[in-house]
Amino acid sequence: MKLVDAIRRAGGVIGRAIGRTHSSVRAGGRLVTEQFWPSVRPTTRRGAVLGVVGIVAGAALLAGVFFVGAVIAWSPYLETTLYPDANARAWAALDATYATASMCTDCHAPEAEKATSARHAGIGCQSCHGALLEHALTSSSASDASHDAGTPEATFALEVPTDDICVTCHAGTVGRPDTVLQVVPSEHYVSVCLQCHDPHTGISRRPLVVLHTLENLPECVTCHGPEGFKARNQRHPDVADDELCLDCHGPGRGPEEVRWPH
Amino acid sequence: MAPLNDLPNEGGPATPARRRRRRGQSQRRRSRVRVAAPAAPVVDATVVDATPHPAGLVPLSEIAPAIAAISMSRRRFLGFGLAVLGGLGGAFGLSRLFPVFEEPESAVRPIVPAYDPARKAWTFVVDTTACIGCGLCVVACKEENNVPEEDLFARTWVERHAVTTGGARYVDSPEGGIAGFPPESTAPGAAGKTVAQAYFEPRLCMQCEESPCTSVCPVGATYRTEDGIILVDARRCIGCGFCVVACPYGARYLTPAGEHVPNDTPGVADKCTWCYHRISRGSQPACVEVCPVGARKFGDAADPASEIATLVRERNPQPLHPEYGTRPRVLYLGPSVQEA
Amino acid sequence: MIGIGPSLTLAGHVIPLRPRAALAAAAHEAVTMPRGLQLWIAFLLVLIGLAVPAALFALPPGWEVVGTTPTVEWGLLIVGYVFFAITTSGLCLASSLGTVFGIERFRPLEKRHAILALLCLTTAFGIIALDLHYPVRMVLGAVLVPSPTSPMWWMGVFYGAYLCVLVVEVWSMFTNHPTIHQAACTTAACLAIAAPATLGAVFGVLVSRPFWHGPFTPILMVCSAFLSGTALLGIVFYVVARLRLTGAERAVSLAIPAIRTLLAIGLVLVSVLITRQLIAGLIDDRPAFVDATRALLVGPLALQFWVVRVGLGLAVPLLLVALPATRTPAGTLLAALLAIVGVFVDRFTFVLAGQIGPTTVSGVVSAPWAEYTPTLVEIGIIAGAVAFVALGYTLAERYLDLREARAHVFVPIPDLLRSRVRRLLGALQADGDVR
């Protein structure tokens, strides 16, 4: 009973409200057409022109203000509200410096082949050669893939890394697991790693062991130096001291003795 | 408020008595000086003319006679208002025709159009038994992300933990490990001690699921994306350093002065983003790319066939310091998580 | 007076409003003020003059001049902000006993605390604006992107509201609106508990810093606030009594003994809380907490902690307020001075201890302590801030009317509410009857 009464009362209130709104809207409409418009309507041509020009100019001015304000307020707060992932997209759109491993094999197949077959297998090219994306993009865009990397046209040569990079991984250090072969660089055969080791496989070229006797012979460099007749077989930078030659080429030195017919 | 087109009245209904009084008094000006309260500042009488009005209503015409000189009709006022509304409506219409708030175009779309961040569960696994402490990852990160050169600022770094026979643990990280490690530990007090066990622990941002850094930012400038990476909006960061202090893993820093893309803003918070610009294009983070021994592994754990998912399933790596309750997404294998 | 044009009269001093006349009056004032006051103001102006270039250096983009590093990101400027912010709250806490609870002994603290609080809070905001790298973004960001999970955001909200309430309080005090003043004082007293507690929560929510983590940091902040606010009032009222300024008699008879009581309470509370923290740090099983406590007790911070904070800042003031021989205004002054320096050093060691201990590499570990040395710029800014508060207060003491208000309004808020509710209920009832 009480509930029905309440509903009836509520219905009455709502109905009265609707009726009042309707009549006031109609009264407002009458107000505009009968009283307002005649009072503001321009009576002269000049007034009409001014009125139109004024409204258009006012609208343009307000739009201009709106635009300037929007540009100023085009701030991260507004952007975050409207486009929540805009900042993440900005982060995702940055430029990379390092390439991916697969980009190198197009031109450098031999080295890549070597690198995947020996102790250095699994090490990416960029671990030693640094960031290569720019090199990959410029070299692939300027020449097509048929050009071999060794031809004169290839002018994108990079700086070859020095032996310091070998020591970074292979120096004996506390904490380094035995999965990597470690040496004490000052106690290893020769201080320059690449004299013996191929960087891409890691395998050391066995130094040729001297089998001819040294008696009655001049110094090594007389024949094997740049002036000597054996110079074309010489792979080393000049060594001034015979002692150093015999460090690698002496009998019993080097990973394996090779009997090389002299 | 007094209707603008009437003569100034003194408030209240215009009864006949008031009307008579008003007619008589409106011509005279009263110059009753206001009595100042003892503790209030006394203002010199020549500054303000204190004409009293019983209900406190001071008609507009007395305060600003210039306005009162313009006698405006109600209709004219309504007309003015309608003109203003028309102008606003015109501006609105123009702005719809030439939208100002456009979706940002050009160079802010990820290169891989099909990248759906919501489907990724990026996970990072670090194997401290494999790490050899070469520091190539630190070099690559600094190069890739233009991290400031000083060793204080590192998005990733390598620590060497050396446990002596006496049970003491010594940690050193010379320049973050960027040039490798010297043969002996450089931690203070470690010289001459016999080391029973030592290992290298690479560190980076853990992209925690319950990260303290995102919850303490006072302006919400650092946030977690749908694919689980925590980023910093450099245009909103205020440089208060709360997130830097809040990170339990020390992964954050405030950028120093100078040019550092991608933030390009000095004095804001920065940290490892797992190379978001690489992973959203299908590559791997730079540190994972250059690691020679595969101590860092990265992948989408949501893909059951991926290497990382298999690794997580089979070897069960654990996060560092789970007692902080941050639920990191970087999992470790090896002695750093085997100890209590 | 007639002939200098429009002017303002404050506490017997006439301040002309026209520029030339105002400058002439200021010059005249500077020449005729007492010698001691001249020297004091000159000294403060020199300090502020040294601080201004320091502040300019610290503005964007010159942040490299401060000594913070990624390991110790919060330095002397944050300490200065914390100190001034909690002093503001402490001032209101101390004087709320008079203004809100109507205890007669604490009445003389009324006007002076409001001016000091406003000055201290403005200074605090100035220091934090120099420390933040993009302060304007803070205002925009905190309003447009509210972060209710961040205690720093709440701290900004509370201290911002506190500033508004303080302005209303000071304004209503000098324009004789006792009801508004009463309401403002009550709101300020509530905020004076909430705001330093939130400031403590800024430190206390961080799991990464076990030294700061926990529910006791907010409590320690509120008690430190109480202590430093009381100490500052102690210094001020000693000066009032000594120089025979407005209200000197009530200062000697009521204010100074009242402050001595409050100082004693504050010192005891802070001592208890610090002892609790040290004990907790020594027996905890989190290595980072133990390391940080070690830094405080025997490590790099030991000297500041034991000598300045505990010895000079707690033990000596406690003795001074306890022993009958030193229960004099001069003794209270010394106790207050030492206590407030102790609070500053306490905030310094607190902020540093949480950061210089190794966090994730802690344990049985010898990783070195992080290092932090405040630079001259930071020291200059803090010195200038102190001088600014002192100068502002000196001018206020000289040119404002600081007599106690004679009328005190006590607004019985529960009664007001009850009567309003009753009236509302009655009206609803009447409506129901008609229908």
Side-chain angles (χ1 to χ4, degrees):
Chain A
M1 219 26 229
K2 271 208 171 158
L3 183 62
V4 172
D5 265 342
I7 293 174
R8 206 174 287 155
R9 237 180 301 153
V13 166
I14 293 171
R16 276 195 296 276
I18 293 175
R20 277 200 292 266
T21 314
H22 178 244
S23 57
S24 64
V25 164
R26 291 191 56 197
R30 247 180 282 129
L31 191 72
V32 168
T33 49
E34 291 169 14
Q35 296 189 15
F36 173 69
W37 175 239
S39 70
V40 299
R41 192 181 79 169
T43 48
T44 62
R45 173 170 297 181
R46 192 179 76 161
V49 167
L50 276 177
V52 169
V53 165
I55 287 182
V56 170
L61 185 68
L62 277 166
V65 167
F66 200 177
F67 181 73
V68 170
V71 165
I72 292 171
W74 179 246
S75 64
Y77 309 103
L78 207 48
E79 190 184 60
T80 315
T81 321
L82 295 173
Y83 306 110
D85 63 345
N87 184 251
R89 288 165 152 224
W91 279 97
L94 295 169
D95 292 325
T97 324
Y98 276 73
T100 46
S102 51
M103 283 184 187
C104 310
T105 49
D106 291 340
C107 296
H108 296 279
E111 282 79 8
E113 174 72 32
K114 269 202 255 180
T116 52
S117 62
R119 284 196 162 247
H120 278 177
I123 300 179
C125 312
Q126 295 172 111
S127 305
C128 301
H129 288 281
L132 291 175
L133 184 62
E134 196 186 321
H135 169 80
L137 292 176
T138 51
S139 58
S140 65
S141 65
S143 62
D144 45 275
S146 60
H147 276 276
D148 191 27
T151 59
E153 284 86 357
T155 51
F156 319 102
L158 296 167
E159 232 177 273
V160 176
T162 60
D163 296 351
D164 299 337
I165 200 93
C166 310
V167 171
T168 312
C169 291
H170 287 286
T173 311
V174 166
R176 195 158 270 176
D178 292 333
T179 46
V180 59
L181 295 176
Q182 294 172 45
V183 296
V184 180
S186 54
E187 294 171 12
H188 198 60
Y189 299 103
V190 180
S191 56
V192 181
C193 313
L194 293 177
Q195 280 188 10
C196 300
H197 290 275
D198 180 306
H200 297 119
T201 57
I203 296 173
S204 163
R205 285 184 283 261
R206 306 173 203 116
L208 308 170
V209 176
V210 173
L211 287 183
H212 58 113
T213 60
L214 295 175
E215 287 162 12
N216 305 324
L217 277 182
E219 290 180 3
C220 310
V221 295
T222 313
C223 303
H224 291 279
E227 315 290 321
F229 71 99
K230 289 294 238 174
R232 61 187 157 84
N233 290 338
Q234 197 1 346
R235 284 201 193 116
H236 288 302
D238 288 340
V239 181
D241 193 355
D242 283 5
E243 289 272 334
L244 284 166
C245 304
L246 292 172
D247 267 348
C248 285
H249 293 282
R253 298 309 299 266
E256 218 178 284
E257 289 184 20
V258 172
R259 298 196 172 268
W260 191 259
H262 192 70
Chain B
M1 196 173 113
L4 289 171
N5 58 345
D6 291 342
L7 289 171
N9 70 356
E10 301 185 30
T15 57
R18 272 194 197 254
R19 246 183 257 131
R20 275 198 298 271
R21 259 205 309 270
R22 186 181 65 196
R23 250 185 262 121
Q25 290 171 357
S26 62
Q27 311 307 317
R28 287 203 302 272
R29 298 180 76 114
R30 293 253 180 94
S31 55
R32 199 182 298 153
V33 176
R34 254 203 308 214
V35 177
V42 171
V43 182
D44 194 62
T46 57
V47 176
V48 164
D49 182 39
T51 311
H53 291 271
L57 297 171
V58 182
L60 197 63
S61 56
E62 287 208 16
I63 296 173
I67 296 180
I70 307 169
S71 74
M72 204 188 273
S73 72
R74 198 183 309 176
R75 293 162 188 177
R76 216 177 271 199
F77 179 71
L78 278 174
F80 173 71
L82 206 70
V84 168
L85 277 174
L88 280 171
F92 178 75
L94 280 174
S95 76
R96 286 299 108 195
L97 281 177
F98 305 107
V100 178
F101 306 134
E102 265 181 60
E103 167 110 9
E105 288 280 337
S106 74
V108 286
R109 284 227 177 88
I111 302 285
V112 177
Y115 182 68
D116 185 6
R119 293 229 184 143
K120 300 289 181 187
W122 297 122
T123 308
F124 210 111
V125 173
V126 175
D127 188 354
T128 56
T129 55
C131 178
I132 60 174
C134 60
L136 292 174
C137 50
V138 185
V139 173
C141 176
K142 290 229 176 187
E143 175 83 33
E144 174 79 18
N145 295 298
N146 217 0
V147 180
E149 276 169 23
E150 297 91 341
D151 56 350
L152 283 173
F153 306 99
R155 289 193 178 189
T156 186
W157 68 100
V158 182
E159 295 171 354
R160 169 167 53 188
H161 294 235
V163 185
T164 61
T165 44
R169 212 150 70 118
Y170 294 90
V171 176
D172 68 324
S173 185
E175 295 180 24
I178 199 169
F181 284 79
E184 300 293 328
S185 173
T186 54
K193 302 270 192 338
T194 329
V195 173
Q197 183 202 31
Y199 57 92
F200 292 102
E201 189 176 278
R203 292 276 294 276
L204 65 162
C205 172
M206 307 281 172
Q207 316 287 359
C208 304
E209 287 175 13
E210 309 244 347
S211 59
C213 57
T214 49
S215 60
V216 298
C217 179
V219 291
T222 183
Y223 59 96
R224 197 152 196 266
T225 61
E226 281 181 299
D227 37 1
I229 310 295
I230 297 178
L231 299 171
V232 181
D233 188 346
R235 293 183 298 166
R236 286 192 283 142
C237 176
I238 65 176
C240 68
F242 202 1
C243 59
V244 176
V245 171
C247 176
Y249 303 98
R252 287 179 168 254
Y253 54 90
L254 293 185
T255 53
E259 285 177 19
H260 312 286
V261 291
N263 270 334
D264 246 346
T265 317
V268 295
D270 195 27
K271 66 176 195 62
C272 163
T273 58
W274 283 2
C275 288
Y276 197 59
H277 56 289
R278 294 178 67 89
I279 63 180
S280 58
R281 297 174 195 184
S283 300
Q284 297 205 304
C287 54
V288 178
E289 193 76 47
V290 299
C291 179
V293 293
R296 292 176 182 247
K297 296 245 185 325
F298 178 83
D300 180 13
D303 174 11
S306 67
E307 187 200 338
I308 201 88
T310 322
L311 185 61
V312 169
R313 248 198 328 268
E314 288 174 5
R315 297 187 62 188
N316 197 22
Q318 296 297 313
L320 276 186
H321 293 282
E323 70 271 13
Y324 286 135
T326 54
R327 298 196 7 231
R329 299 279 313 167
V330 175
L331 304 171
Y332 281 77
L333 290 166
S336 50
V337 285
Q338 280 159 8
E339 292 168 359
Chain C
M1 272 199 226
I2 303 163
I4 56 170
S7 60
L8 212 58
T9 305
L10 293 176
H13 300 270
V14 178
I15 301 175
L17 292 173
R18 293 230 176 89
R20 198 174 289 176
L23 276 175
H28 177 78
E29 185 69 30
V31 166
T32 54
M33 61 169 66
R35 194 69 170 159
L37 190 59
Q38 274 177 343
L39 286 173
W40 173 239
I41 290 186
F43 170 67
L44 292 177
L45 284 174
V46 162
L47 273 182
I48 293 180
L50 287 174
V52 165
L56 290 175
F57 279 134
L59 286 176
W63 311 293
E64 307 305 298
V65 294
V66 297
T68 53
T69 58
T71 27
V72 184
E73 201 63 68
W74 282 351
L76 191 61
L77 289 181
I78 295 286
V79 171
Y81 165 74
V82 169
F83 174 73
F84 281 105
I86 64 173
T87 306
T88 306
S89 324
L91 287 164
C92 282
L93 280 175
S95 69
S96 68
L97 292 164
T99 54
V100 176
F101 299 101
I103 303 177
E104 190 61 29
R105 306 176 61 197
F106 301 101
R107 284 268 180 232
L109 307 178
E110 214 168 4
K111 279 192 176 173
R112 295 187 153 93
H113 98 269
I115 301 164
L116 275 170
L118 190 57
L119 283 170
C120 282
L121 193 55
T122 318
T123 313
F125 282 149
I127 295 178
I128 202 69
L130 289 171
D131 178 78
L132 284 181
H133 292 162
Y134 296 97
V136 177
R137 287 188 194 179
M138 169 70 160
V139 177
L140 277 177
V143 172
L144 295 175
V145 187
S147 315
T149 53
S150 169
M152 194 179 274
W153 185 80
W154 283 108
M155 184 186 76
V157 165
F158 283 136
Y159 273 111
Y162 198 8
L163 184 66
C164 300
V165 171
L166 270 179
V167 168
V168 167
E169 198 178 315
V170 171
W171 166 82
S172 61
M173 194 163 71
F174 288 110
T175 53
N176 199 26
H177 290 102
T179 320
I180 299 178
H181 182 66
Q182 184 66 22
C185 281
T186 314
T187 320
C190 299
L191 283 173
I193 300 177
T198 318
L199 181 49
V202 163
F203 296 95
V205 299
L206 299 178
V207 282
S208 61
R209 312 280 166 182
F211 182 75
W212 293 341
H213 187 57
F216 284 98
T217 307
I219 300 177
L220 176 62
M221 280 296 174
V222 176
C223 294
S224 286
F226 183 67
L227 179 59
S228 75
T230 311
L232 187 57
L233 283 174
I235 299 170
V236 158
F237 273 94
Y238 175 80
V239 171
V240 164
R242 189 87 160 84
L243 299 179
R244 306 235 142 261
L245 300 172
T246 320
E249 316 79 27
R250 293 221 345 148
V252 175
S253 62
L254 282 186
I256 292 182
I259 287 169
R260 202 179 303 130
T261 316
L262 294 179
L263 258 185
I265 296 172
L267 287 166
V268 167
L269 278 175
V270 171
S271 304
V272 166
L273 285 170
I274 289 185
T275 313
R276 182 219 73 86
Q277 171 148 60
L278 292 177
I279 294 176
L282 291 171
I283 64 174
D284 200 86
D285 54 1
R286 281 172 296 184
F289 195 178
V290 177
D291 277 338
T293 313
R294 238 174 5 105
L296 209 51
L297 294 179
V298 299
L301 301 171
L303 188 70
Q304 291 101 306
F305 182 71
W306 286 117
V307 172
V308 185
R309 205 284 165 268
V310 174
L312 292 179
L314 285 179
V316 171
L318 268 174
L319 279 176
L320 285 173
V321 297
L323 294 175
T326 49
R327 280 192 213 154
T328 55
T332 314
L333 169 75
L334 192 58
L337 261 176
L338 290 174
I340 207 170
V341 168
V343 170
F344 185 84
V345 172
D346 187 28
R347 295 301 98 216
F348 183 74
T349 53
F350 180 78
V351 167
L352 275 201
Q355 295 177 87
I356 69 172
T359 50
T360 56
V361 293
S362 55
V364 189
V365 163
S366 171
W369 304 115
E371 277 174 13
Y372 171 73
T373 319
T375 58
L376 280 177
V377 164
E378 290 171 293
I379 297 173
I381 292 173
I382 300 295
V386 174
F388 174 76
V389 172
L391 183 65
Y393 185 70
T394 310
L395 295 175
E397 186 78 54
R398 186 154 170 79
Y399 297 111
L400 291 178
D401 177 14
L402 295 176
R403 282 171 295 179
E404 280 175 55
R406 259 170 252 135
H408 295 289
V409 172
F410 178 56
V411 180
I413 292 178
D415 284 342
L416 256 183
L417 279 177
R418 218 177 296 135
S419 65
R420 287 260 163 85
V421 167
R422 218 178 282 135
R423 231 187 301 154
L424 185 66
L425 283 174
L428 285 176
Q429 196 112 34
D431 271 353
D433 288 343
V434 163
R435 236 167 257 131

